Amino acid sequence: MLDIIAGKSALKTIEQHGFNQDLFSVFLGASGGPKWFSLFGLDKYVFGEFFKNRTEELYLIGSSAGAFRSACFAQNDPVAAISRMAESYSETIYSGEVDASEVSAKAIELLDYALGDNGVEEIIGNQVFKTHFLVNKANGFMQSDSKGLQLASLFKSYLLNRVDRKLLKSQFDRYVFHHPQSQLQINDPYGFNTQHVELTNENLKQALLASGSIPLVMEGINDIPGAPKGKYWDGGIIDYHFDFQISHNDKLVLYPHFNPEPKAGWFDKNLSRKVMNQHYDNVVMLVPSAEFIASLPYGKIPDRKDFETMDAETRIKYWKTVLAETEKLADSFDDFLSSQDLGKIRLFSQNFK
């Protein structure tokens, strides 16, 4: 049910020490909207059992849906928070003539429900699970509210990225909104301008919303408190599935992900370009197996296109079925932890052969 894929150094460490939560100091959460539903049961197990009673800090790094998940995990009751998020997201219904303002309003409703009454304070005050939301600040026409100018800018970004990912840095800057006590740094070989902004009670909701604000689909977030003035967008534009190294310590990175072949940025989704193997050397990925995905309704994981191709009743039934089925992934991970059958782990480099 669950594929476990590890970088070379990560596998060596696991072989020496066994697979346990003490090995990890970083957790990654990727973009992907409702594709995240395929990880729901696993998320509940990881933060309800695997990391339960943890006392050593764990850095949570997320973009878009991954940032929303991280915000749930840093609350006092992470399982209740991620369950609220799954409930709200899966039951979202839009009008027939949905526009960016309606999608943004629904996202705010989801965020408020997932955070509850004290979520902001709990996240900022958490001394173990320390959040980092990746957000992109726009340059050029992406600062405009005009969909036409935004579309022109995105097309330019697409063309630049096809030539070389490094060229995309002229279009967007990376902003890391981080826990007040975090010293985490990102080592990025592509040279994106990366700025760090401390999370506060005043900016956390806006930073989190910005991390999931998809261009053309939602409204950008203007002038986040504590950050330079400007328009901020979805962190997945640059960091869709991640292609960088994290400067923290020599421990491992845990990365539950819905795809065994991560893509660096949003514009790489349909390209053959691969992430750098060395960036996954100390990463352990937990991925729903192809067999598990084939067993789901329609033989696929949820995605945003379901809003267009299914009526609300059909889509909600399908999504809730997927959420329930992912308990099998949690059971599979629990079985692995009990057996410590390390022969089930595949090398990340082999994943692309």
Side-chain angles (χ1 to χ4, degrees):
M1 287 291 175
L2 184 69
D3 288 338
I4 303 174
I5 306 168
K8 187 175 181 179
S9 293
L11 181 57
K12 183 177 179 180
T13 298
I14 294 168
E15 289 173 341
Q16 291 175 340
H17 302 284
F19 198 110
N20 63 83
Q21 62 106 349
D22 292 331
L23 300 181
F24 300 93
S25 63
V26 175
F27 176 95
L28 288 180
S31 301
K35 293 177 182 178
W36 156 74
F37 289 158
S38 63
L39 303 173
F40 175 59
L42 192 60
D43 276 353
K44 289 192 295 178
Y45 182 89
V46 168
F47 283 89
E49 298 294 335
F50 187 61
F51 287 131
K52 189 177 182 179
N53 300 321
R54 184 181 175 97
T55 57
E56 184 179 355
E57 70 179 7
L58 183 77
Y59 283 6
L60 312 178
I61 305 173
S63 65
S64 198
F68 277 56
R69 289 163 63 209
S70 296
C72 292
F73 301 146
Q75 294 181 54
N76 291 350
D77 189 340
V79 174
I82 200 72
S83 297
R84 290 195 301 271
M85 176 171 148
E87 175 193 350
S88 179
Y89 199 167
S90 64
E91 296 177 0
T92 297
I93 298 176
Y94 297 112
S95 65
E97 299 296 327
V98 63
D99 58 14
S101 62
E102 181 180 352
V103 179
S104 291
K106 292 287 187 179
I108 293 171
E109 289 179 13
L110 183 156
L111 177 58
D112 287 341
Y113 186 55
L115 289 174
D117 294 332
N118 303 306
V120 172
E121 292 77 12
E122 291 173 5
I123 292 167
I124 291 176
N126 198 318
Q127 297 303 303
V128 176
F129 300 122
K130 298 183 176 179
T131 52
H132 303 72
F133 307 145
L134 301 182
V135 178
N136 292 167
K137 184 175 182 293
N139 300 316
F141 288 154
M142 281 305 296
Q143 298 180 70
S144 171
D145 291 326
S146 164
K147 274 198 171 184
L149 292 178
Q150 289 179 19
L151 185 61
S153 181
L154 290 172
F155 184 64
K156 178 182 177 181
S157 298
Y158 168 78
L159 294 176
L160 290 172
N161 184 72
R162 280 191 67 91
V163 175
D164 192 327
R165 175 168 159 81
K166 293 180 179 179
L167 298 177
L168 198 57
K169 64 186 179 183
S170 66
Q171 299 291 95
F172 299 95
D173 298 329
R174 175 193 291 120
Y175 273 72
V176 183
F177 288 84
H178 62 86
H179 186 278
Q181 296 176 2
S182 171
Q183 300 299 317
L184 180 143
Q185 297 290 321
I186 290 174
N187 294 330
D188 178 12
Y190 300 102
F192 285 100
N193 177 28
T194 301
Q195 302 294 325
H196 295 258
V197 178
E198 186 174 306
L199 285 169
T200 66
N201 290 343
E202 289 71 37
N203 69 15
L204 188 143
K205 282 189 177 182
Q206 285 177 271
L208 186 52
L209 186 62
S211 186
S213 292
I214 307 167
L216 301 181
V217 176
M218 298 173 66
E219 297 173 330
I221 305 301
N222 292 311
D223 304 338
I224 300 176
K229 289 186 179 298
K231 192 178 294 291
Y232 293 80
W233 293 102
D234 194 304
I237 297 172
I238 294 176
D239 299 307
Y240 189 57
H241 297 165
F242 313 116
D243 193 10
F244 52 60
Q245 286 184 319
I246 301 163
S247 295
H248 178 42
N249 57 33
D250 59 356
K251 289 197 172 185
L252 306 184
V253 177
L254 187 64
Y255 186 13
H257 190 34
F258 50 79
N259 191 324
E261 299 188 11
K263 296 291 186 178
W266 194 36
F267 296 105
D268 294 320
K269 287 190 290 184
N270 297 317
L271 301 182
S272 60
R273 179 183 298 154
K274 299 174 181 178
V275 297
M276 298 183 185
N277 271 349
Q278 62 265 34
H279 291 165
Y280 283 75
D281 185 54
N282 69 336
V283 174
V284 178
M285 298 182 70
L286 306 177
V287 184
S289 68
E291 292 77 15
F292 173 77
I293 293 173
S295 73
L296 298 175
Y298 311 105
K300 72 176 192 69
I301 64 175
D303 59 64
R304 286 195 300 111
K305 291 181 181 178
D306 296 339
F307 281 112
E308 303 170 8
T309 60
M310 301 178 185
D311 61 72
E313 183 179 358
T314 301
R315 172 182 54 79
I316 292 171
K317 180 181 178 181
Y318 160 44
W319 283 6
K320 287 188 174 294
T321 299
V322 172
L323 291 171
E325 286 294 301
T326 59
E327 297 296 336
K328 295 176 181 177
L329 299 178
D331 292 340
S332 181
F333 188 42
D334 183 69
D335 290 343
F336 167 76
L337 293 174
S338 297
S339 69
Q340 292 289 310
D341 183 0
L342 305 187
K344 293 183 177 179
I345 303 177
R346 291 170 20 211
L347 269 178
F348 183 83
S349 57
Q350 294 175 338
N351 203 42
F352 292 121
K353 289 184 179 179

